[in-house]
């Protein structure tokens, strides 16, 4: 571990700033003279717009501008937002209806942006929005995850956005034909609202003919490309920045309509223009997560080995294609389709349907939690129906260590894994041997207790290459510019710690700079648990170049050949020379010698391959049958994250991910009525996990270093969520199994669980 990070649990340097209110979020840094924007949103889920008259609003006190889609088009702005398209089973592309920045002719979900009012104050903008004359003819609303129903887009007459398939259908059918046992389960995955602590916000200003857009996001270069496309501007005319960001979780990784309107408003008014979402507005307009149903089937031979795996998923796209909306439950779900198991035949069909609801896109894990949830719920059911210990069934079917590198049926190349070892450590850590006694104690108290297991594997996603710049400063320190973007994960700590480990520069002399498209040429932002692996990899390349460059320079100072100079992670040395400068001292020597070329190092490097973090989650729940209240009483995780830079931060990431998974499993649930109105549009109606609903989370690591990158690392940002939903759900199923309850679906709210126990199938839905 010496060479690739010293794995010290260094506390986060950011925390003092955040905890004392010194964070600089987008709403803190907006120019003092900025005008305020307010978005007028559709109050109905589906309607033809018959009147949109903003003339009275334009004359209201303090109003500088009211923007409609017609105004954007008149200014030469492309009003269509982009979205990736899945490939259908017949080879065609998924449906591509236009998603307008502001509504054009029709509204398709409650909360769709229709017009933007810009005024001196937010109160004036809100008041003016009340004067907008908005008349419409209602259209039928479609909420079903199935073909047919009222048409939302003519480009998708059956409301089907895509019909994706992957795997070998014939081999899968053959596997089922010769199966000794077949296990089938219908599995629901409820919709959630992301609810980052900081809602979305942005401001735009024009400076010397260039536009500057600052927003709370997960990277700057994607937004820069989209703004260049829509405005027809050369990239060098655009600067995008991300300040401190209070949570993203995938939801903030993409463009939203407001970000395209603000630059236009700033250009027309000649003033900076700012916008900040409130909580209900966020619930209406932010991309949602999950929302799918899957039928899963496993075929087993006589020895309980899986012969074939077959799935059919129907997912909700919302009213339009979000940026990666079509990819989440199709291509990304398929990345870990077969989990950690040696399955030679599988076929996955996924259909995405448009509904008159808010768009769906990535939420912590982006398809992989959904896939593992299905796999591990199905494995739990199989263990019950086959009468096999759930750990033993997994051991039988795990990919064995000598099978790596292992190519899955969906084309993933798992590099390494020792799943049985990790799971055995998990069983010991969770004290499975003591579960029977704990269950008996619960029963004596009139409670039901269940134990749930999930073994997950994750595929690290996102752009495989990254940029970095290291600059030696005149004050004797160093500055590292990174292409990723922290949303609260601790990047400032991790990246300076990694650079310190590789160069010997004291961490307190290193400054991390992120989130400014003017400072380095490109970057992939943050998403898919990519940040640490890609950024550390390119930093390692930069350090290698720095060592080579300084070694050549110092050779002249030492009077030796360049190849005689070595660097031991702290000082440069050469046999026969008593000159032993540190990296910072070498930089100062170069500065004094006029070698400015040695003071800035900039490079780009790709990862050789993706990494696959994996691990076991074990949860115990206790249920009060009188009330249906579910308490997650014990929770333990053993993860294989490979080599770690900072175990403390990794544990924090797991804790946060588990909390989000448990939140979805136990309480979070988005509800729309039949007219498409959001019924859970505030924290009065949408439950969020709190400290008193979370268990203490035991966390240990059992590292198997990755061979896919020189640091042996595996990303850890989303792993907690990937494993937690199935662990808790399987625990609830275990607790209720003896009561004859065979179908349990998240969220396990008291009312739903009580209805299950009372046999009220309708109330339990």
């Amino acid at each position: 571990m010496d060479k690739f990070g010293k794995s010290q649990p260094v506390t986060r340097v950011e925390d003092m700033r955040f905890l004392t209110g010194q964070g600089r979020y987008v709403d803190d840094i907006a120019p003092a003279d900025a005008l305020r924007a307010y978005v007028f949103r559709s109050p109905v889920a589906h309607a033809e717009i018959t009147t949109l008259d903003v003339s009275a609003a334009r004359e209201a006190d303090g109003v500088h501008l009211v923007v409609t889609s017609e105004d954007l088009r008149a200014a030469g702005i492309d009003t269509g937002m982009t979205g990736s398209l899945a490939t259908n089973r017949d080879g065609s592309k998924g449906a591509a209806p236009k998603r307008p920045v502001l509504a054009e002719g029709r509204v398709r979900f409650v909360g769709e942006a229709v017009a933007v009012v810009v005024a001196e104050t937010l109160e004036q903008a809100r008041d003016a929005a009340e004067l907008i004359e908005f008349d419409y003819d209602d259209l039928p609303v479609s909420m079903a995850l199935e073909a047919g129903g009222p048409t939302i887009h003519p480009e998708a007459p059956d409301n089907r956005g895509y019909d994706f398939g992957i795997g070998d259908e014939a081999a899968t059918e053959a596997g089922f034909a010769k199966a000794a046992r077949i296990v089938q389960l219908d599995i629901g995955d409820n919709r959630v609202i992301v609810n980052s602590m900081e809602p979305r916000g942005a401001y735009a200003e024009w400076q010397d003919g260039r536009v500057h857009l600052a927003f709370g996001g997960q990277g700057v270069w994607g937004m820069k490309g989209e703004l260049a496309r829509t405005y027809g501007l050369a990239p060098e005319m655009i600067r995008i920045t991300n300040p401190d960001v209070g949570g993203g979780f995938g939801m903030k990784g993409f463009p939203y309509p407001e970000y395209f309107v603000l630059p236009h408003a700033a250009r027309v008014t000649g003033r900076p223009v700012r916008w900040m979402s409130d909580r209900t507005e966020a619930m209406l307009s932010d991309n949602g997560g999950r929302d799918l149903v899957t039928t899963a089937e496993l075929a087993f031979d006589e020895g309980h080995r899986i012969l074939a795996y077959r799935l059919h998923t129907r997912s909700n796209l919302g009213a339009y294609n979000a940026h990666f909306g079509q990819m989440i439950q199709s291509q990304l779900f398929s990345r870990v389709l077969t989990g950690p198991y040696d399955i030679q035949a599988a076929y996955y069909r996924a259909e995405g349907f448009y509904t008159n609801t808010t768009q769906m896109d990535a939420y912590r894990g982006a398809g992989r939690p959904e896939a593992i949830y299905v796999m591990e719920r199905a494995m739990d059911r199989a263990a019950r129906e086959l009468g096999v210990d759930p750990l033993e069934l997994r051991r039988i079917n795990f990919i064995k260590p000598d099978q790596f590198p292992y190519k899955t049926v969906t084309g993933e190349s798992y590099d390494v894994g020792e799943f049985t070892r990790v799971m055995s450590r998990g069983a010991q850590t969770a004290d499975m041997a003591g579960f029977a006694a704990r269950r008996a104690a619960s029963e004596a108290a009139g409670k039901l207790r269940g134990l749930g297991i999930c073994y997950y594997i994750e595929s690290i996603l996102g752009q495989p290459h990254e940029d970095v710049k290291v600059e030696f400063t005149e004050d004797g320190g160093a500055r590292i510019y990174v292409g990723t973007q922290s949303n609260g994960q601790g990047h400032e700590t991790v990246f300076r710690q990694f650079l310190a480990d590789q160069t010997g520069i004291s961490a307190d002399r290193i400054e991390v700079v992120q989130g400014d498209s003017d400072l380095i040429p490109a970057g992939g932002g943050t998403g898919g648990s990519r940040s640490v692996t890609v950024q550390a990899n390119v930093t390692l390349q930069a350090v290698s170049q720095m060592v080579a460059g300084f070694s050549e320079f110092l050779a002249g100072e030492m009077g030796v050949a360049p190849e005689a100079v070595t660097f031991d992670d702290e000082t440069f040395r050469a046999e026969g020379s008593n000159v032993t400068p540190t990296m910072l001292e070498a930089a100062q020597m170069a500065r004094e010698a006029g070698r400015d070329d040695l003071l800035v190092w900039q490079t780009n490097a790709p990862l050789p391959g993706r990494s696959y973090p994996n691990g076991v989650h074990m949860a115990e729940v206790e249920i009060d049958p009188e009330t249906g209240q579910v308490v997650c009483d014990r929770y333990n995780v053993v993860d294989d994250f490979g080599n770690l830079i900072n175990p403390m931060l990794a544990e924090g990431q797991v804790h946060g991910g588990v909390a989000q998974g448990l939140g979805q499993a136990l309480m979070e649930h988005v509800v729309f009525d039949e007219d498409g109105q959001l019924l859970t549009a505030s924290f009065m109606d949408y439950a969020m996990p709190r400290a008193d609903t979370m268990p203490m989370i035991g966390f240990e690591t059992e590292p198997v270093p990755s061979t896919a990158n020189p640091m042996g690392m595996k990303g850890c940002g989303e792993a907690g969520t990937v494993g937690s939903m199935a662990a808790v759900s399987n625990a609830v199923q275990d607790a209720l199994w003896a009561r004859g309850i065979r179908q349990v679906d998240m969220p396990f709210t008291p009312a739903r669980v009580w209805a299950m126990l009372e046999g009220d199938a309708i109330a339990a839905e």
Side-chain angles (χ1 to χ4, degrees), residues 636-659:
N636 287 278
V637 182
V638 175
D639 282 313
D640 167 18
F641 291 151
N643 293 332
L644 292 171
I645 297 177
N646 189 320
M648 182 186 298
L649 268 63
E651 182 172 4
Q653 286 294 293
V654 171
H655 285 185
V658 169

Side-chain angles (χ1 to χ4, degrees), residues 14 56 84 125 142 177 234-235 252 265 290 315 345 359 369 383 413 480 496 503 549 551 591 653 665 673 692 711:
E14 306 89 327
S84 299
S142 180
K252 288 184 183 171
R290 317 303 185 215
S315 69
Q359 287 68 240
S413 294
I480 179 171
R496 80 174 194 165
T503 62
S551 294
R591 188 182 301 278
Q653 286 294 293
D673 70 12
D692 62 356
M711 303 82 62

Side-chain angles (χ1 to χ4, degrees), residues 146-195:
E146 59 187 31
T151 300
I152 297 174
H153 299 287
E155 297 88 346
D158 58 0
N159 289 330
R160 185 187 284 113
Y162 64 83
D163 187 355
F164 171 88
I166 193 169
D168 189 328
E169 193 168 12
T172 302
E173 294 298 325
F176 275 88
K178 63 181 181 182
R181 291 287 300 273
I182 294 172
V183 175
Q184 178 178 319
L185 184 64
D186 293 323
I187 304 162
D189 198 334
N190 47 309
R191 180 191 281 232
V192 294
I193 297 172
V194 176
N195 286 319

